[in-house]
Amino acid sequence: MIVPNLVTIILSLLLCAYHGSTYITWIEARIPLKGNRALPGTPWPVPQQWHQQENVFIADPQTFHFESNVQGCDILEKAYDRYREIMFNGHNYTLDESLKKDRNILNRCTVTVNQKVLDCDYPKYGVDEKYDIMIRPEGCQITSNSVWGALYGLETLSQLLYPSESNNYLLINQTYIHDWPEYKYRGMLLDTARHFIPLEILLANLDAMAYNKFNVFHWHLVDDQSFPYESKRFPELTRRGAYSSKHVYTQKDVKLVIDYARMRGIRVLPEIDSPGHTKVFERVFPNLLTPCYGEGPDKPYTPRYPEHSDADNLHPLRNETYSVMLELFKELKEVFPDEYIHLGMDEVYYACWKSNPEILSFMQANGWTEMNQVEQYYVRRTLENVKNINYKYMIWQDPVDNGVRLANDSLVEVWKDTRLDPSMKSWQEYTRPIAQQGYEIVLSACWYLNYINYPYPGRDWEVYYLCDPRSFTNVKAEKDLVVGGEACLWSEFADGTNILSRIWPRASAVAERLWTNPTINDVDSARFRLDQHRCRMLERGIPAAPILNGFCGAYEWANKKVSVRPGDRISLGQ
């Protein structure tokens, strides 16, 4: 990582003061900010190796173009158009002849993909994502071994540009970057069942994910509250399970999300949770839910709040349960191109099963004494069904905690932590036994973005930034099993009105942890870089929330000149 000299630091401060791209300041005047202010054009996540020189070039929007050894790849062709627009942001600066004579002009970038067989399909788990960038007098060069690495190179290139002091043209320093991700799984979960998230918000979030080099959109499609996914196999689930006909992701919508994500190097991983979180199925398949006997063995479908409702969890003993779920999984496999499915399997509360005489009799007949054996029965049958349709799978950690054995290529997501529930252990205590069984692990326990008051509002990103997913052990073989992490936004208190500003830029802290995994946990200096990136996202149309007092110059969200009379009505978003 680059260490700027004193002259460059002073220059960067002057540039910030003049072109006003970003400036944060203290909350209280008596408590000044620590750390080093970011240089203009500092990428986020910070590259693994970044060497920047004082030689500066001017980017010419009139003549700038991309060249490539790759032909016929729509992902790159669309990316060139998209990033040219992002880089110049509609500013058609005209460079006068004196500038062209006195300064080096950057007017092209060559993109080279060194891949014998070009993969321009859908991104897959574990693809090569490294890239190199060279900015020098001969021009700009991005080199990678894959289309996906080239996309990350384009994103970094777009972030290296910064306005001149007069704000009349864009500058870029002579630079060499060699970069790669520390973790191959860098995910974000969005829950679209508690609240329906409008399609345009999902697409905008995919843009923001690309700006931060996330590569998996974990789509928690349905839950107890609603079934907004349009199922062709079971249309009544959609009709009766969605909040309304307007709160539905049609299969056309889903395809748009998948293709939009593909263009940005992002996998779309669908989740249908079971056997818990399935109350919505009762509206169409009442026999799929387990009857609860809250008032005794002769009174089915009676609740005992808060332990259980009238019917909870899918019924583990009925063949119809498995046939319906299998058909749903088959449909997802036809719609979603990813080789993995997320099966959920978390929070299977046993109270209803314990009250059910049929389940208790089944346990006695099989010599079972523990309720988790019923859970294992459901999980094993479901995993076998999924395996038979050639799906690989990812699950929450709960079945592994309860002794279920998975396929060797399963991904286990660790979500439990004492910070989320005081009755739980720390995530480190849960993670090591899972690693000792040899499973690949994705950590989300540190990064539940719906918790907004820890340690105190506005600075929880610092806690996210400092979470090291491999800090649960000193054994290298166990550390290596952690393949990534995931920021999660559960939507009990978020919808289209606030979800983007709740995610960003807090998730950016997760992004840098998963991409660079910085060995120097300098939160004070990261704060300045994060603020610059937050302003960058504002400029690109993402309503990222502020992390401290200050300003973003011309990039303030919704900073529009309005002409309105006192009797008129202001309508935002139009």
Side-chain angles (χ1 to χ4, degrees):
M1 180 175 160
I2 187 171
V3 179
N5 61 32
L6 182 59
V7 173
T8 310
I9 292 175
I10 293 173
L11 175 62
S12 73
L13 290 174
L14 290 173
L15 284 170
C16 283
Y18 279 101
H19 70 65
S21 62
T22 172
Y23 191 89
I24 54 171
T25 186
W26 24 260
I27 294 176
E28 299 290 345
R30 58 188 173 81
I31 308 176
L33 292 181
K34 300 176 182 178
N36 299 315
R37 286 195 176 270
L39 297 170
T42 296
W44 186 287
V46 67
Q48 302 281 4
Q49 297 177 15
W50 174 30
H51 305 283
Q52 180 173 305
Q53 299 180 20
E54 294 182 7
N55 192 23
V56 178
F57 310 111
I58 297 176
D60 182 4
Q62 303 295 328
T63 61
F64 185 88
H65 62 282
F66 290 100
E67 301 172 352
S68 179
N69 70 326
V70 176
Q71 303 298 321
C73 176
D74 60 337
I75 293 174
L76 287 182
E77 290 170 357
K78 296 293 185 183
Y80 299 148
D81 294 338
R82 186 169 68 251
Y83 274 103
R84 195 183 185 287
E85 180 181 354
I86 287 172
M87 289 164 63
F88 298 106
N89 197 27
H91 299 302
N92 292 315
Y93 304 118
T94 301
L95 305 183
D96 59 46
E97 292 303 316
S98 63
L99 282 174
K100 293 182 179 181
K101 290 179 181 178
D102 299 338
R103 306 291 290 272
N104 290 317
I105 304 299
L106 182 71
N107 58 16
R108 75 180 186 280
C109 189
T110 302
V111 178
T112 302
V113 178
N114 300 320
Q115 192 173 45
K116 292 181 180 179
V117 179
L118 187 68
D119 179 9
C120 190
D121 193 12
Y122 291 93
K124 298 178 180 63
Y125 176 61
V127 296
D128 188 338
E129 298 174 308
K130 62 178 175 290
Y131 67 92
D132 293 339
I133 295 179
M134 294 191 72
I135 311 292
R136 50 187 177 173
E138 295 85 350
C140 162
Q141 176 76 49
I142 296 175
T143 306
S144 68
N145 292 330
S146 71
V147 169
W148 321 112
L151 283 178
Y152 295 126
L154 290 169
E155 176 58 39
T156 299
L157 173 66
S158 75
Q159 297 185 19
L160 292 171
L161 292 163
Y162 58 93
S164 66
E165 180 179 322
S166 62
N167 204 33
N168 289 331
Y169 46 89
L170 293 176
L171 302 176
I172 190 167
N173 285 69
Q174 184 163 330
T175 303
Y176 170 67
I177 289 174
H178 179 49
D179 200 14
W180 66 92
E182 179 72 15
Y183 296 96
K184 57 187 174 183
Y185 185 108
R186 304 178 305 281
M188 176 174 294
L189 175 147
L190 289 188
D191 162 22
T192 58
R194 274 59 176 244
H195 280 99
F196 182 85
I197 309 301
L199 180 62
E200 59 268 27
I201 300 297
L202 293 183
L203 300 180
N205 193 64
L206 288 170
D207 279 329
M209 289 174 64
Y211 303 152
N212 290 269
K213 297 187 172 71
F214 283 99
N215 67 354
V216 181
F217 169 32
H218 174 178
W219 195 346
H220 187 84
L221 279 165
V222 303
D223 212 295
D224 288 329
Q225 291 79 7
S226 73
F227 196 101
Y229 166 73
E230 181 192 23
S231 172
K232 299 290 189 180
R233 292 281 209 285
F234 303 111
E236 282 298 294
L237 264 178
T238 307
R239 190 179 72 82
R240 299 172 63 181
Y243 285 134
S244 79
S245 60
K246 295 182 178 180
H247 296 89
V248 172
Y249 302 107
T250 66
Q251 294 211 359
K252 182 180 178 181
D253 294 335
V254 172
K255 186 178 187 306
L256 174 59
V257 169
I258 293 169
D259 290 342
Y260 200 89
R262 169 181 171 263
M263 288 291 177
R264 289 149 182 82
I266 298 171
R267 298 165 51 207
V268 180
L269 174 68
E271 179 187 354
I272 300 291
D273 204 349
S274 72
H277 295 275
T278 50
K279 187 70 172 175
V280 70
F281 284 84
E282 187 181 36
R283 303 177 195 178
V284 179
F285 300 105
N287 290 333
L288 255 58
L289 273 288
T290 306
C292 306
Y293 290 72
E295 296 180 7
D298 57 345
K299 293 187 177 180
Y301 296 102
T302 53
R304 185 167 64 241
Y305 302 119
E307 294 181 30
H308 59 73
S309 65
D310 58 338
D312 273 350
N313 296 335
L314 294 182
H315 202 303
L317 308 185
R318 295 180 181 167
N319 290 331
E320 184 186 9
T321 297
Y322 301 97
S323 61
V324 168
M325 295 304 295
L326 179 59
E327 286 302 308
L328 193 53
F329 295 147
K330 287 179 178 178
E331 178 177 359
L332 290 183
K333 191 163 180 55
E334 293 172 1
V335 174
F336 290 85
D338 203 80
E339 60 184 337
Y340 279 85
I341 184 174
H342 201 300
L343 297 172
M345 298 186 170
D346 61 314
E347 297 183 315
V348 183
Y349 299 118
Y350 295 154
C352 180
W353 281 353
K354 287 180 178 179
S355 74
N356 185 284
E358 184 183 1
I359 290 177
L360 294 176
S361 296
F362 185 79
M363 290 178 64
Q364 186 177 16
N366 284 275
W368 295 349
T369 58
E370 301 295 332
M371 193 57 62
N372 70 355
Q373 292 170 292
V374 178
E375 180 184 9
Q376 292 178 39
Y377 177 79
Y378 173 84
V379 171
R380 289 193 181 103
R381 287 192 64 175
T382 299
L383 296 186
E384 187 66 24
N385 278 341
V386 168
K387 180 181 177 182
N388 288 338
I389 60 173
N390 296 316
Y391 244 145
K392 296 179 181 179
Y393 54 81
M394 182 171 174
I395 64 171
W396 300 106
Q397 70 184 81
D398 306 51
V400 182
D401 292 343
N402 292 333
V404 175
R405 184 66 198 174
L406 310 177
N408 292 335
D409 57 359
S410 305
L411 294 178
V412 178
E413 185 162 7
V414 174
W415 69 274
K416 296 179 182 178
D417 185 52
T418 186
R419 184 174 70 85
L420 305 180
D421 185 337
S423 68
M424 294 178 179
K425 300 179 290 187
S426 70
W427 68 265
Q428 292 93 337
E429 292 176 87
Y430 287 111
T431 304
R432 190 165 193 196
I434 297 172
Q436 288 172 336
Q437 296 180 61
Y439 297 121
E440 289 190 328
I441 295 166
V442 172
L443 180 70
S444 62
C446 293
W447 301 310
Y448 268 42
L449 304 183
N450 46 302
Y451 285 68
I452 60 174
N453 291 318
Y454 183 85
Y456 38 91
R459 292 182 62 181
D460 46 6
W461 72 266
E462 298 175 18
V463 179
Y464 305 152
Y465 192 80
L466 293 173
C467 175
D468 180 353
R470 294 175 176 149
S471 62
F472 66 95
T473 181
N474 292 320
V475 179
K476 183 180 184 304
E478 294 174 359
K479 288 177 179 287
D480 290 345
L481 287 168
V482 180
V483 297
E486 188 163 85
C488 299
L489 199 292
W490 302 97
S491 66
E492 290 93 338
F493 304 102
D495 63 9
T497 66
N498 66 343
I499 196 166
L500 289 176
S501 59
R502 184 158 293 182
I503 294 171
W504 305 106
R506 298 156 77 227
S508 300
V510 185
E512 183 157 289
R513 172 57 61 186
L514 295 177
W515 182 274
T516 314
N517 197 29
T519 55
I520 301 174
N521 294 313
D522 184 357
V523 170
D524 292 323
S525 295
R527 182 179 296 110
F528 291 107
R529 293 190 296 107
L530 180 59
D531 181 68
Q532 183 183 111
H533 188 56
R534 178 249 169 179
C535 291
R536 180 183 294 131
M537 285 193 284
L538 285 184
E539 182 184 13
R540 298 182 183 189
I542 305 300
I547 61 171
L548 269 181
N549 298 317
F551 63 91
C552 281
Y555 310 149
E556 298 293 353
W557 181 250
N559 185 18
K560 300 177 181 178
K561 298 292 184 182
V562 296
S563 177
V564 62
R565 296 169 296 181
D568 293 342
R569 175 178 174 268
I570 289 288
S571 180
L572 298 178
Q574 295 183 357

Short mmCIF file of all heavy atoms in Angstrom, two decimals, residues 18 22 44 50 79 106 114 134 148 180 256 287 316 322 324 334 352 364 444 459 485 503 507 546:
data_model
loop_
_atom_site.label_atom_id
_atom_site.label_comp_id
_atom_site.label_asym_id
_atom_site.label_seq_id
_atom_site.Cartn_x
_atom_site.Cartn_y
_atom_site.Cartn_z
N TYR A 18 -10.06 23.13 -2.34
CA TYR A 18 -10.50 23.88 -3.49
C TYR A 18 -11.64 23.21 -4.26
O TYR A 18 -12.63 23.84 -4.56
CB TYR A 18 -9.32 24.15 -4.43
CG TYR A 18 -8.47 25.31 -3.97
CD1 TYR A 18 -7.27 25.10 -3.31
CD2 TYR A 18 -8.89 26.62 -4.19
CE1 TYR A 18 -6.50 26.17 -2.88
CE2 TYR A 18 -8.13 27.70 -3.76
CZ TYR A 18 -6.93 27.47 -3.10
OH TYR A 18 -6.18 28.51 -2.67
N THR A 22 -14.67 16.28 -0.86
CA THR A 22 -15.03 15.67 0.42
C THR A 22 -14.26 16.31 1.55
O THR A 22 -13.07 16.63 1.40
CB THR A 22 -14.76 14.16 0.41
OG1 THR A 22 -14.93 13.64 1.73
CG2 THR A 22 -13.36 13.84 -0.05
N TRP A 44 -11.32 2.58 -2.95
CA TRP A 44 -11.89 1.78 -1.86
C TRP A 44 -12.57 0.57 -2.49
O TRP A 44 -13.37 0.76 -3.40
CB TRP A 44 -12.91 2.59 -1.06
CG TRP A 44 -13.40 1.86 0.15
CD1 TRP A 44 -14.26 0.80 0.18
CD2 TRP A 44 -13.05 2.12 1.51
NE1 TRP A 44 -14.47 0.38 1.45
CE2 TRP A 44 -13.73 1.17 2.31
CE3 TRP A 44 -12.23 3.05 2.14
CZ2 TRP A 44 -13.62 1.15 3.69
CZ3 TRP A 44 -12.12 3.02 3.52
CH2 TRP A 44 -12.81 2.08 4.28
N TRP A 50 -0.24 -0.83 -4.12
CA TRP A 50 -0.61 0.41 -4.81
C TRP A 50 0.59 1.36 -4.73
O TRP A 50 0.98 1.79 -3.64
CB TRP A 50 -1.84 1.02 -4.13
CG TRP A 50 -2.26 2.37 -4.64
CD1 TRP A 50 -2.11 2.87 -5.90
CD2 TRP A 50 -2.92 3.40 -3.89
NE1 TRP A 50 -2.64 4.13 -5.99
CE2 TRP A 50 -3.14 4.47 -4.77
CE3 TRP A 50 -3.35 3.49 -2.57
CZ2 TRP A 50 -3.77 5.65 -4.35
CZ3 TRP A 50 -3.98 4.66 -2.16
CH2 TRP A 50 -4.19 5.72 -3.04
N ALA A 79 -19.45 -2.70 -20.01
CA ALA A 79 -18.68 -2.08 -18.93
C ALA A 79 -17.91 -0.87 -19.43
O ALA A 79 -17.78 0.14 -18.72
CB ALA A 79 -17.73 -3.09 -18.31
N LEU A 106 -4.22 11.60 -20.99
CA LEU A 106 -4.66 10.20 -20.99
C LEU A 106 -5.93 10.11 -21.83
O LEU A 106 -6.96 10.67 -21.47
CB LEU A 106 -4.94 9.73 -19.56
CG LEU A 106 -5.37 8.28 -19.40
CD1 LEU A 106 -4.19 7.35 -19.67
CD2 LEU A 106 -5.93 8.02 -18.01
N ASN A 114 -5.93 -12.30 -20.16
CA ASN A 114 -5.06 -13.44 -20.49
C ASN A 114 -5.75 -14.75 -20.13
O ASN A 114 -5.40 -15.41 -19.16
CB ASN A 114 -3.73 -13.33 -19.74
CG ASN A 114 -2.98 -12.06 -20.09
OD1 ASN A 114 -2.95 -11.65 -21.26
ND2 ASN A 114 -2.38 -11.42 -19.11
N MET A 134 -1.63 -0.22 -14.83
CA MET A 134 -0.48 0.64 -15.00
C MET A 134 -0.93 1.93 -15.69
O MET A 134 -1.54 1.89 -16.76
CB MET A 134 0.61 -0.04 -15.83
CG MET A 134 1.25 -1.25 -15.15
SD MET A 134 2.73 -1.86 -15.99
CE MET A 134 3.89 -0.56 -15.57
N TRP A 148 -13.77 -11.07 -15.02
CA TRP A 148 -14.16 -10.55 -13.71
C TRP A 148 -13.05 -9.68 -13.13
O TRP A 148 -13.33 -8.62 -12.55
CB TRP A 148 -14.52 -11.71 -12.78
CG TRP A 148 -15.27 -12.77 -13.52
CD1 TRP A 148 -14.86 -14.04 -13.83
CD2 TRP A 148 -16.57 -12.64 -14.13
NE1 TRP A 148 -15.80 -14.71 -14.57
CE2 TRP A 148 -16.87 -13.88 -14.78
CE3 TRP A 148 -17.51 -11.61 -14.18
CZ2 TRP A 148 -18.05 -14.09 -15.46
CZ3 TRP A 148 -18.69 -11.84 -14.87
CH2 TRP A 148 -18.96 -13.05 -15.49
N TRP A 180 -5.79 -8.15 -5.75
CA TRP A 180 -6.54 -9.41 -5.73
C TRP A 180 -7.34 -9.44 -4.43
O TRP A 180 -7.00 -8.77 -3.45
CB TRP A 180 -5.59 -10.60 -5.79
CG TRP A 180 -4.71 -10.73 -4.57
CD1 TRP A 180 -4.97 -11.47 -3.45
CD2 TRP A 180 -3.46 -10.06 -4.33
NE1 TRP A 180 -3.96 -11.32 -2.54
CE2 TRP A 180 -3.02 -10.46 -3.05
CE3 TRP A 180 -2.68 -9.17 -5.08
CZ2 TRP A 180 -1.82 -9.99 -2.49
CZ3 TRP A 180 -1.49 -8.71 -4.51
CH2 TRP A 180 -1.08 -9.13 -3.24
N LEU A 256 -34.06 -9.83 -14.82
CA LEU A 256 -33.39 -8.54 -14.91
C LEU A 256 -32.35 -8.39 -13.80
O LEU A 256 -31.22 -7.95 -14.05
CB LEU A 256 -34.41 -7.40 -14.83
CG LEU A 256 -33.83 -5.97 -14.78
CD1 LEU A 256 -32.97 -5.69 -16.01
CD2 LEU A 256 -34.94 -4.95 -14.65
N ASN A 287 -51.40 -28.39 5.18
CA ASN A 287 -50.88 -29.65 5.73
C ASN A 287 -49.36 -29.68 5.83
O ASN A 287 -48.81 -30.60 6.43
CB ASN A 287 -51.36 -30.83 4.88
CG ASN A 287 -52.85 -31.08 5.01
OD1 ASN A 287 -53.45 -30.76 6.03
ND2 ASN A 287 -53.45 -31.64 3.97
N PRO A 316 -42.11 -32.50 9.38
CA PRO A 316 -40.99 -33.32 8.92
C PRO A 316 -41.37 -34.75 8.55
O PRO A 316 -40.54 -35.48 7.99
CB PRO A 316 -40.05 -33.31 10.12
CG PRO A 316 -40.97 -33.18 11.30
CD PRO A 316 -42.10 -32.29 10.84
N TYR A 322 -41.74 -32.72 1.44
CA TYR A 322 -40.53 -32.86 0.64
C TYR A 322 -40.82 -32.73 -0.85
O TYR A 322 -39.99 -32.20 -1.61
CB TYR A 322 -39.85 -34.19 0.96
CG TYR A 322 -39.49 -34.29 2.42
CD1 TYR A 322 -40.34 -34.96 3.32
CD2 TYR A 322 -38.35 -33.68 2.93
CE1 TYR A 322 -40.03 -35.02 4.67
CE2 TYR A 322 -38.04 -33.74 4.28
CZ TYR A 322 -38.88 -34.41 5.14
OH TYR A 322 -38.59 -34.48 6.49
N VAL A 324 -43.24 -30.89 -2.29
CA VAL A 324 -43.48 -29.48 -2.61
C VAL A 324 -42.17 -28.70 -2.62
O VAL A 324 -41.88 -27.93 -3.55
CB VAL A 324 -44.48 -28.84 -1.60
CG1 VAL A 324 -44.50 -27.32 -1.76
CG2 VAL A 324 -45.88 -29.41 -1.80
N GLU A 334 -34.03 -23.73 -12.45
CA GLU A 334 -34.30 -23.32 -13.82
C GLU A 334 -34.19 -21.81 -13.99
O GLU A 334 -33.85 -21.34 -15.08
CB GLU A 334 -35.70 -23.78 -14.22
CG GLU A 334 -35.86 -25.30 -14.32
CD GLU A 334 -37.30 -25.71 -14.54
OE1 GLU A 334 -38.17 -24.81 -14.63
OE2 GLU A 334 -37.57 -26.93 -14.61
N CYS A 352 -43.13 -26.33 19.12
CA CYS A 352 -44.31 -26.90 18.45
C CYS A 352 -44.12 -28.40 18.21
O CYS A 352 -45.04 -29.20 18.45
CB CYS A 352 -44.56 -26.18 17.13
SG CYS A 352 -46.00 -26.81 16.22
N GLN A 364 -40.40 -42.01 19.42
CA GLN A 364 -40.38 -43.21 20.26
C GLN A 364 -40.17 -44.46 19.42
O GLN A 364 -39.40 -45.36 19.80
CB GLN A 364 -41.69 -43.29 21.06
CG GLN A 364 -41.71 -44.43 22.07
CD GLN A 364 -43.00 -44.43 22.89
OE1 GLN A 364 -43.99 -43.79 22.53
NE2 GLN A 364 -42.98 -45.13 24.02
N SER A 444 -20.98 -14.13 8.78
CA SER A 444 -21.86 -12.96 8.75
C SER A 444 -22.11 -12.39 10.15
O SER A 444 -22.69 -11.31 10.28
CB SER A 444 -23.20 -13.30 8.08
OG SER A 444 -23.89 -14.31 8.81
N ARG A 459 -21.02 5.11 14.25
CA ARG A 459 -19.64 4.62 14.22
C ARG A 459 -19.58 3.10 14.30
O ARG A 459 -18.52 2.54 14.55
CB ARG A 459 -18.85 5.26 15.37
CG ARG A 459 -18.62 6.76 15.16
CD ARG A 459 -17.81 7.38 16.27
NE ARG A 459 -16.48 6.81 16.37
CZ ARG A 459 -15.58 7.20 17.28
NH1 ARG A 459 -15.89 8.16 18.15
NH2 ARG A 459 -14.39 6.64 17.32
N GLY A 485 -17.12 -13.62 3.69
CA GLY A 485 -18.08 -13.08 4.65
C GLY A 485 -19.23 -12.41 3.94
O GLY A 485 -19.26 -12.30 2.71
N ILE A 503 -27.56 0.70 4.50
CA ILE A 503 -26.48 -0.19 4.10
C ILE A 503 -25.18 0.56 3.89
O ILE A 503 -24.11 0.15 4.36
CB ILE A 503 -26.86 -0.92 2.80
CG1 ILE A 503 -28.05 -1.87 3.03
CG2 ILE A 503 -25.67 -1.72 2.24
CD1 ILE A 503 -28.61 -2.46 1.75
N ALA A 507 -21.60 -0.88 4.87
CA ALA A 507 -21.15 -2.11 4.23
C ALA A 507 -19.81 -1.95 3.55
O ALA A 507 -19.12 -2.94 3.29
CB ALA A 507 -22.20 -2.58 3.23
N PRO A 546 -23.98 9.94 5.89
CA PRO A 546 -22.72 10.51 6.37
C PRO A 546 -22.17 9.73 7.56
O PRO A 546 -22.92 9.10 8.31
CB PRO A 546 -23.11 11.93 6.77
CG PRO A 546 -24.57 11.87 7.07
CD PRO A 546 -25.12 10.82 6.14
#
